[in-house]
Amino acid sequence: DFAPVWRRQQITGKLFAVRSGGTRVFGPAPGFAFLVDLPGNCRAIDPSQNRLYFQSGNHVEVRDATTHALVTTILNVNNSGGWDADAVQHRLYLTDAAAGLVRVVDTITNTVAGAFSLGAGTAPNAVAVDGANNRLYVTATLAGATVLYVVAGPPVTTAVTPVGSVSLGGQPLAQIALNLPAGRVYVGGGYAQNQLAVVDVAAPWAPVLVTTL
């Protein structure tokens, strides 16, 4: 009964598996024994601060990655899609397709820093952070197609102009994995959408769709 989302915490070596009704914790390596079930869905991890970010309705729960204890709750952060944490800029990004926004949380103060739009008609649904190069990769639905946008810098409160974008076709692809040493971004659709798009981002300002599997 697991959703297709597994996250590994680099410091403790634990695995966090999102499942129906909560998150199951395993670890550490090599055995990855079952440790505990936690309420809510683990949506992002910041290894620099040893923090877990859980979704609980419209709230963000911040937990200690070692003890799993609740540190604080950030109230009323509307979100409906993917999250990712930037361990370099200390930001948490949450997509909100219904509002057409990517919302931004300051992970030092655990407060909402703002939100930004990718442009009229876009509905962001997933985000992945390249902290080393200060870039975001965001998928959004636009005019019935999925588009991968590359965004430079840590935008907070304004509409932004992406540095690059590429259309991935009509499938609602909303999961992103980065392999930046190879210059590749993989965008998939989970169980319901059996499709994977491979994008060349060696030149981030001119991403190229390599193939769709």
Side-chain angles (χ1 to χ4, degrees), residues 118-131:
L118 294 169
T122 59
N125 47 39
V127 59
V129 173
D130 173 9

Side-chain angles (χ1 to χ4, degrees), residues 8 26 29 73-75 96-97 105 120-122 129 137 206:
R8 183 172 183 181
F26 301 89
T73 300
I74 307 168
L75 300 177
D96 184 354
V105 169
T122 59
V129 173
Y137 294 87

Side-chain angles (χ1 to χ4, degrees), residues 73-108:
T73 300
I74 307 168
L75 300 177
N76 301 319
V77 186
N78 293 327
N79 62 86
S80 55
W83 302 12
D84 202 10
D86 186 338
V88 179
Q89 300 292 333
H90 302 299
R91 293 290 187 266
L92 175 67
Y93 296 96
L94 313 89
T95 58
D96 184 354
L101 296 171
V102 178
R103 301 191 184 277
V104 188
V105 169
D106 183 321
T107 58
I108 297 295

Side-chain angles (χ1 to χ4, degrees), residues 5 13 21-22 26 38 42 44 49 61 77 81 83 87 119-120 128 146 153 159 170 188 194 212:
V5 180
F26 301 89
L38 298 174
C42 181
Q49 298 190 81
E61 294 183 343
V77 186
W83 302 12
T146 296
N194 187 21
T212 301

Side-chain angles (χ1 to χ4, degrees), residues 97 100 118-126 138-149 169-174:
L118 294 169
T122 59
N125 47 39
V138 184
T139 58
T141 301
L142 176 64
T146 296
V147 179
L148 175 68
Y149 294 95
Q171 290 287 341
L173 305 177

